Amino acid sequence: MGTRAGGLYVGRRAAAAGAALLLALLVALLALAALYGRCRQEAAPPPPPSPRAPGPAAAPPPAPAAGSVRRLPRHLLPLHYDLELWPRVRPGQAGPFAFTGQVNITVRCLRDTDAAVLHSAGLRSRGAAAVRGPLSEPGAAVEVAGLRHDEAGEVAVLELRGRLRAGRRYVLQLGFQGRLDEDLDGLFLTRYTDRGQSSMLIASQMEPTYARRVYPCFDEPAMKATFNIRIIHDPSYVALSNMPAIDVCEVKDENGSLWTVTTFNTSLKMSTYLTAFVICDFDYVTRTERGNEIRIWARKEAVKNGYVDYALNITGPIFSFLEDILNVSYPLPKTDLVALPDFGAGGMENWGLMIFQEVSLMNLPGDEFTSRKAMIALVVSHELGHQWFGNLVTMNWWNDLWLNEGLASYFEYLGATFVEPKLSLDKIFYAHVVQPVLREDSEIARSLSESEDKIKGSFSLMSLFDNITYSKGASITWMLSGFLTEKLFIRALTSYLKEFSFSNANQDDLWTHIQMVVDAQDEVQLPAPVKQIMDSWTCQNGFPVLTLNLTSGTIRQEQFFNKNNRKSTDSYNNTWIIPISWMRNGSSQPLTWLDKSSKMFPEMQVSESDYDWILLNVNLSGYYRVNYDQLNLKRLARLLENDPKAIPAVSRFQLIDDVFALREFGYVPIETALELTKYLAREDELFIWNVVLLNLIPENLESMLKNHAVYPLLKKYLLKRMLPIYHYYAGFIRQNADALEDDYFAQVYLEKLLATACWLGLQDCLDLSSELYAKWRDNPEYKIPFLIRRTVCCYGIAVGSDKEWNFAWEMYNHTDSIEEDEDILLHAMSCAKEPWLLYRYLQYGLSDTLFSSNCTSVIISHVATKDIGHHIAWEFVTENWPLLSQGYGHELLHDVLKAMGRFVKTDVQIQELQVFYNATLEEDERETITMLLESAKLENIERKKLLIKIANWLEKNIDD
């Protein structure tokens, strides 16, 4: 599945204590608004007429939760499926909905058995099951004694009166029926609007273990087979599957009603999780690339308006790029990409029938912004990468899921930067992939590749679809390509793909093919076998930090961990075999290796000259952090002030990110990190400024910082350094914002820079926001540049009066406003500085005629995060608790209340909150809240100590 930009990408980060957890809860709460739908209250459409659906009246019970990992016995090997699916759905029909089907599975018996065990979840039998064979004996059959369903184990057991004999082939014949729900898993139904008309479609999502909910099957990735698929559907729909349709005919049901039968060509050998079905009333656009017919399907309105043209234009070139670089042809004659209005993953790589969320494929024809195109290019490129890594060669079992997702995530960036060359590959890869996962990986106790034995029992496969699998997998691949050279790495991948085409592999198979390529040449010499090097990265938790002593030239490695939370019983004895790219005084040096816990490198001993400096892990070629001694850090800080471009941009980013992460985890004091910010007046890279600002002014702490003595010092220190880059971009905003359409990082990060300048009270920023907001007020057709719209609306209201607020309210309620703008305005209206406006806004939030209930909690949360708003929000909550709790229960409101935790600094404040909780919550809930508040208090006390240190440093350095 896809990535952060697409796919079933569910980052699961270990919960942090205190305010960090409270922030996560608040963010989750804000996300609920998007999850549950638009905030503006809309009347529900009347239910459609309900003609009697043919087929079974009683639908089976719902399937158990996904993620069961019971393995099948190895008695039978599937060779081929003949599968018929019949969703009993007519346009405009009301539910409940069901589907029926028949599957005939040709199997080879590997060991004698008197039972056939296969996966089945939430399905009921339809008709009698049968077993034909052995096929070498015409007319032969094995009598079925019974069919038993084990719902907990998600298996069906065909109990036989005879035995299946090893070496013989048989056909298992099973009829089945299932429920067609709107849950976005297995075979599902979804409703949408197209050209003003309400419509329905049917689609599938099988990964990881949902195929068994659609048809009885051997639902394991290594049990590959070929498929003949036939879909029976309403004549007004078109049916799509993995292969091209080869026949379309009609059939009548038991009531004499006509249905269409679409039959598809025999598939290639593939895993069950890649089977795919879409039954819809969509239009498509098409082009052919090297004989591969590419069609992109979407709502008729979207196709007519050209929303999928960009996706069509890049899909073929990315296909060709991947074919050429991997030297392995795409084996299918056609590829369909379908944009669903509602889909549980950003994208899914089904062979020949990829399925996406609409937002992952659609671009407005007039929208030239690189950031929007980049997102589409990344999602498409990721799923196309899977056509080789995942579809052609599939991991043996889910423990090596990174072979699918990590490699696809790596090629996602190569493919996207190929079709959008304005993107800087190294900058975007480090900022979007490596840096975020380094932050996460230090807190998650799991390795990239787990043993098969570990993934069993109650282990949830869904938890493997996380940032470790995707981004750490991609980062390790990036490092591997770097020390091998891309030429050797690609040569090894080609060998691996050709060896295991239409089959399965584990990570040792990949290491073997890399070793073969390394052994066949003399240019690249490794300090150990490939398996030994790479297992140290994939089979251990976390990653190393390298500590460099320049006086002795010694580098020491240890696992990067939070020293502030370390217990005496904790053990961190992992060591890695680490490639070290480095430079000295601006000159690149030969790659070297650290293959033990500590090692001396005489070539890294420096002289007494202040201009003799060392930089490790140049351009973040390795997956680790670097902790320099004070001598080198002072020299690097001086270098940055005198000549920042002497250090590559990605390495400047890495230096700052590393030192703040080292501070957070107790390796270095905050003063050390701040020394590296002195040079920032000469920094012109937005992605570097972004990491600085996120560390110095986290968004969840803005309101707290505003009321602290550090604020005026930060204001003077940062504005002095921000002015050059601020004025550079403000000039574009005032004169020609369209000129930034090719500047990807401006579109992604300029908002944070501008918001910080306004937060720090820079008058020009406040004036700019006021000017642009007034321009919009005077002419509602005017569009505030989208890349700064959120900040402009917020501060346009903040420096204005009730007139500005009322205009935002009017535009929010405008029938033509799009959801993205609604979200911006929903936030902006909480930026008002007049307490009465905030209170009125909260009162509006209570009205079920103005907002849906999920919006009420979002409004409260927005207000609670503002420096003057948290007291107002708290008073509002306590005064209106009966109404709020009646409106949508305790759960959502709890998150709003927890957001107050960031302001808790004393026991008295905890007691004040506790009085309210004691009167409203159950005892077990009160205990949880008390623990959170205590944790938040400790976090806030620690933060106060930190801010005192920052303030002291700023006072000494503010005029440097």
Side-chain angles (χ1 to χ4, degrees):
M1 279 177 273
T3 59
R4 343 112 286 287
L8 189 76
Y9 175 74
V10 187
R12 288 176 170 81
R13 185 170 182 161
L21 174 57
L22 298 174
L23 170 67
L25 289 165
L26 179 63
V27 169
L29 174 67
L30 296 176
L32 282 169
L35 186 65
Y36 288 121
R38 298 176 71 160
C39 286
R40 184 187 297 137
Q41 189 72 310
E42 296 172 353
S50 175
R52 187 176 71 84
S68 170
V69 289
R70 172 171 170 179
R71 302 295 294 270
L72 295 177
R74 290 303 186 257
H75 299 131
L76 303 176
L77 180 70
L79 303 175
H80 179 76
Y81 292 77
D82 283 299
L83 174 63
E84 176 185 284
L85 283 177
W86 188 343
R88 308 289 184 140
V89 176
R90 298 288 196 184
Q93 181 181 350
F97 298 102
F99 64 90
T100 61
Q102 174 72 35
V103 66
N104 298 340
I105 312 172
T106 304
V107 298
R108 177 183 292 119
C109 183
L110 303 179
R111 284 159 46 192
D112 286 10
T113 180
D114 58 4
V117 183
L118 64 166
H119 285 113
S120 176
L123 299 174
R124 283 187 177 171
S125 302
R126 192 166 182 267
V131 176
R132 287 196 294 112
L135 297 183
S136 56
E137 302 172 16
V142 180
E143 188 178 348
V144 177
L147 176 59
R148 177 168 52 84
H149 288 276
D150 174 5
E151 285 298 334
E154 299 191 336
V155 296
V157 182
L158 274 168
E159 294 167 334
L160 309 174
R161 298 198 192 279
R163 293 181 71 79
L164 306 182
R165 300 295 180 185
R168 307 289 184 88
R169 289 188 304 143
Y170 300 85
V171 177
L172 314 181
Q173 300 178 324
L174 299 108
F176 55 91
Q177 60 192 52
R179 269 170 48 158
L180 195 56
D181 291 321
E182 298 182 47
D183 58 1
L184 307 182
D185 291 323
L187 192 67
F188 62 88
L189 181 138
T190 186
R191 303 172 192 273
Y192 64 97
T193 302
D194 192 5
R195 298 183 300 188
Q197 299 294 313
S198 179
S199 300
M200 297 187 296
L201 63 81
I202 297 159
S204 64
Q205 169 58 35
M206 305 301 206
E207 190 179 23
T209 57
Y210 297 116
R212 64 191 68 175
R213 293 189 181 193
V214 182
Y215 58 98
C217 57
F218 295 83
D219 198 12
E220 296 189 8
M223 291 188 158
K224 291 189 170 185
T226 54
F227 291 79
N228 279 350
I229 292 169
R230 192 166 85 133
I231 297 177
I232 304 176
H233 54 94
D234 185 88
S236 65
Y237 292 134
V238 63
L240 305 172
S241 188
N242 304 82
M243 298 300 289
I246 55 171
D247 183 61
V248 178
C249 62
E250 290 184 336
V251 68
K252 288 183 179 178
D253 64 17
E254 56 270 33
N255 300 317
S257 298
L258 271 181
W259 297 79
T260 296
V261 182
T262 302
T263 303
F264 300 91
N265 212 342
T266 305
S267 78
L268 301 175
K269 193 177 176 186
M270 63 183 186
S271 305
T272 49
Y273 80 84
L274 292 171
T275 54
F277 322 102
V278 173
I279 303 164
C280 63
D281 181 26
F282 278 1
D283 276 349
Y284 67 89
V285 288
T286 184
R287 64 181 279 179
T288 299
E289 181 91 6
R290 297 183 178 177
N292 174 14
E293 183 190 10
I294 298 166
R295 299 182 296 185
I296 301 194
W297 299 77
R299 291 178 295 111
K300 290 179 164 64
E301 184 177 31
V303 171
K304 180 182 176 184
N305 292 335
Y307 293 169
V308 293
D309 289 353
Y310 175 72
L312 179 69
N313 291 337
I314 63 169
T315 299
I318 295 173
F319 255 127
S320 297
F321 167 76
L322 291 170
E323 281 190 326
D324 291 343
I325 195 172
L326 296 169
N327 195 26
V328 177
S329 297
Y330 177 68
L332 296 184
K334 69 93 178 176
T335 305
D336 289 312
L337 292 79
V338 184
L340 297 190
D342 199 8
F343 188 53
M348 179 62 209
E349 66 266 20
N350 314 302
W351 226 355
L353 179 55
M354 287 174 266
I355 301 177
F356 299 82
Q357 284 180 2
E358 256 188 8
V359 69
S360 302
L361 277 189
M362 289 193 184
N363 185 61
L364 302 183
D367 183 1
E368 291 302 316
F369 280 120
T370 306
S371 60
R372 179 79 193 143
K373 290 182 173 179
M375 189 274 284
I376 296 169
L378 287 166
V379 178
V380 170
S381 187
H382 181 95
E383 306 307 336
L384 293 183
H386 273 307
Q387 307 308 299
W388 286 265
F389 301 101
N391 299 7
L392 184 65
V393 179
T394 312
M395 74 267 145
N396 266 330
W397 183 242
W398 300 103
N399 62 306
D400 277 332
L401 179 62
W402 82 269
L403 290 176
N404 282 21
E405 299 298 351
L407 287 166
S409 297
Y410 172 80
F411 281 100
E412 149 188 352
Y413 284 85
L414 270 60
T417 51
F418 172 75
V419 292
E420 285 294 341
K422 298 163 190 169
L423 299 174
S424 167
L425 176 59
D426 58 347
K427 291 177 187 176
I428 194 174
F429 191 84
Y430 185 61
H432 290 354
V433 181
V434 186
Q435 189 256 358
V437 78
L438 281 172
R439 288 265 164 184
E440 191 167 323
D441 194 16
S442 51
E443 299 175 7
I444 290 182
R446 103 165 170 80
S447 57
L448 186 58
S449 177
E450 301 281 7
S451 68
E452 283 198 32
D453 291 341
K454 191 169 181 180
I455 302 179
K456 61 183 180 182
S458 60
F459 188 97
S460 171
L461 293 181
M462 297 307 294
S463 66
L464 292 175
F465 290 84
D466 65 358
N467 223 8
I468 298 299
T469 295
Y470 288 71
S471 295
K472 184 174 182 177
S475 301
I476 297 300
T477 304
W478 179 276
M479 178 177 69
L480 177 59
S481 176
F483 72 71
L484 284 176
T485 72
E486 186 178 43
K487 180 179 73 173
L488 292 185
F489 178 58
I490 294 297
R491 189 181 299 166
L493 285 183
T494 300
S495 171
Y496 164 82
L497 287 169
K498 289 183 175 177
E499 167 95 8
F500 296 102
S501 288
F502 309 107
S503 185
N504 299 77
N506 58 37
Q507 72 170 17
D508 281 355
D509 295 318
L510 179 58
W511 306 155
T512 297
H513 281 262
I514 294 172
Q515 189 69 57
M516 286 162 50
V517 166
V518 169
D519 291 345
Q521 53 80 56
D522 299 318
E523 295 172 34
V524 175
Q525 299 297 317
L526 301 181
V530 171
K531 175 176 168 55
Q532 189 180 341
I533 295 171
M534 294 310 299
D535 279 359
S536 76
W537 295 95
T538 62
C539 298
Q540 298 186 119
N541 301 347
F543 59 89
V545 55
L546 272 54
T547 300
L548 172 63
N549 183 319
L550 283 189
T551 306
S552 63
T554 301
I555 300 179
R556 176 172 52 84
Q557 65 161 297
E558 64 178 312
Q559 183 166 350
F560 187 66
F561 63 91
N562 194 333
K563 293 193 171 191
N564 302 318
N565 298 338
R566 186 173 188 178
K567 303 184 185 82
S568 58
T569 55
D570 288 345
S571 175
Y572 294 93
N573 297 321
N574 292 348
T575 57
W576 288 260
I577 301 177
I578 304 170
I580 302 175
S581 59
W582 64 293
M583 64 166 51
R584 182 170 190 158
N585 306 334
S587 298
S588 294
Q589 304 297 315
L591 182 78
T592 189
W593 291 82
L594 178 63
D595 53 4
K596 56 186 74 169
S597 59
S598 181
K599 190 174 179 181
M600 185 179 291
F601 296 86
E603 64 272 29
M604 292 190 192
Q605 292 175 350
V606 295
S607 67
E608 294 182 4
S609 167
D610 286 344
Y611 301 97
D612 194 6
W613 52 271
I614 299 283
L615 188 73
L616 300 189
N617 203 11
V618 179
N619 283 330
L620 203 93
S621 50
Y623 186 71
Y624 52 88
R625 295 198 184 277
V626 179
N627 182 17
Y628 296 101
D629 60 12
Q630 287 297 316
L631 174 65
N632 198 51
L633 273 174
K634 284 180 181 175
R635 292 181 181 181
L636 290 172
R638 184 181 294 111
L639 176 67
L640 286 170
E641 290 184 68
N642 295 329
D643 183 16
K645 301 290 184 182
I647 297 177
V650 169
S651 289
R652 298 200 301 276
F653 182 114
Q654 172 202 347
L655 260 177
I656 291 170
D657 186 52
D658 275 359
V659 79
F660 275 102
L662 289 162
R663 195 290 308 167
E664 184 182 345
F665 275 37
Y667 287 82
V668 301
I670 184 61
E671 294 83 356
T672 299
L674 291 170
E675 287 292 331
L676 289 181
T677 67
K678 287 182 175 180
Y679 88 99
L680 284 169
R682 301 188 66 180
E683 183 54 75
D684 57 5
E685 291 278 5
L686 275 174
F687 83 117
I688 296 174
W689 265 102
N690 187 66
V691 78
V692 170
L693 297 177
L694 288 176
N695 277 289
L696 286 179
I697 311 170
E699 288 180 10
N700 62 312
L701 299 178
E702 285 181 354
S703 55
M704 190 270 289
L705 288 172
K706 198 81 177 269
N707 297 316
H708 193 279
V710 79
Y711 176 77
L713 298 168
L714 261 180
K715 176 177 178 176
K716 187 175 180 182
Y717 181 80
L718 278 177
L719 284 182
K720 182 178 178 181
R721 286 158 177 79
M722 284 177 70
L723 283 176
I725 192 169
Y726 167 81
H727 283 305
Y728 174 80
Y729 282 104
F732 279 109
I733 296 296
R734 282 195 165 98
Q735 294 162 27
N736 182 17
D738 290 346
L740 297 174
E741 67 183 27
D742 289 340
D743 188 339
Y744 174 77
F745 285 117
Q747 292 160 50
V748 177
Y749 297 132
L750 182 55
E751 185 93 65
K752 176 66 176 174
L753 185 86
L754 197 77
T756 303
C758 285
W759 180 80
L760 290 168
L762 180 62
Q763 194 58 49
D764 188 76
C765 182
L766 298 172
D767 291 345
L768 176 60
S769 298
S770 195
E771 288 166 21
L772 295 178
Y773 192 83
K775 199 171 177 181
W776 185 36
R777 266 190 70 201
D778 294 342
N779 175 21
E781 297 300 313
Y782 168 73
K783 289 287 185 187
I784 298 169
F786 186 77
L787 66 171
I788 56 165
R789 196 175 298 166
R790 184 180 177 88
T791 296
V792 167
C793 289
C794 177
Y795 284 95
I797 289 172
V799 300
S801 65
D802 58 333
K803 293 185 180 67
E804 281 71 23
W805 196 98
N806 291 337
F807 175 72
W809 176 249
E810 179 188 336
M811 297 310 293
Y812 177 82
N813 288 288
H814 201 276
T815 52
D816 293 337
S817 65
I818 60 172
E819 192 168 347
E820 222 160 5
D821 283 341
E822 286 182 11
D823 292 340
I824 286 170
L825 290 170
L826 203 67
H827 168 262
M829 287 185 283
S830 72
C831 297
K833 295 300 182 186
E834 293 284 351
W836 70 270
L837 279 174
L838 292 178
Y839 196 80
R840 186 180 74 177
Y841 187 29
L842 291 166
Q843 288 288 351
Y844 283 2
L846 282 178
S847 168
D848 56 9
T849 59
L850 299 174
F851 293 105
S852 59
S853 61
N854 57 284
C855 256
T856 309
S857 58
V858 175
I859 292 168
I860 295 170
S861 298
H862 280 323
V863 174
T865 58
K866 301 300 183 292
D867 48 342
I868 68 163
H870 68 274
H871 291 305
I872 296 169
W874 178 248
E875 287 177 14
F876 177 80
V877 166
T878 54
E879 289 171 7
N880 294 280
W881 172 258
L883 191 59
L884 288 168
S885 61
Q886 183 183 15
Y888 49 92
H890 282 58
E891 189 173 345
L892 287 180
L893 192 57
H894 287 177
D895 293 341
V896 179
L897 299 176
K898 290 169 193 172
M900 302 303 297
R902 75 187 59 160
F903 305 105
V904 173
K905 301 183 187 68
T906 67
D907 290 332
V908 172
Q909 288 172 313
I910 286 183
Q911 288 165 10
E912 288 174 2
L913 291 172
Q914 202 69 52
V915 168
F916 178 74
Y917 291 133
N918 288 345
T920 55
L921 302 179
E922 299 297 328
E923 186 173 349
D924 59 335
E925 295 173 313
R926 291 201 296 265
E927 289 176 10
T928 304
I929 294 291
T930 302
M931 288 172 62
L932 277 167
L933 292 175
E934 284 286 354
S935 180
K937 184 188 81 169
L938 294 173
E939 184 84 11
N940 290 334
I941 290 169
E942 287 301 312
R943 188 178 297 109
K944 187 177 181 181
K945 293 178 187 174
L946 176 66
L947 291 176
I948 289 169
K949 290 180 181 178
I950 293 174
N952 290 337
W953 186 91
L954 288 171
E955 282 180 340
K956 295 173 188 171
N957 294 276
I958 205 158
D959 295 319
D960 282 6

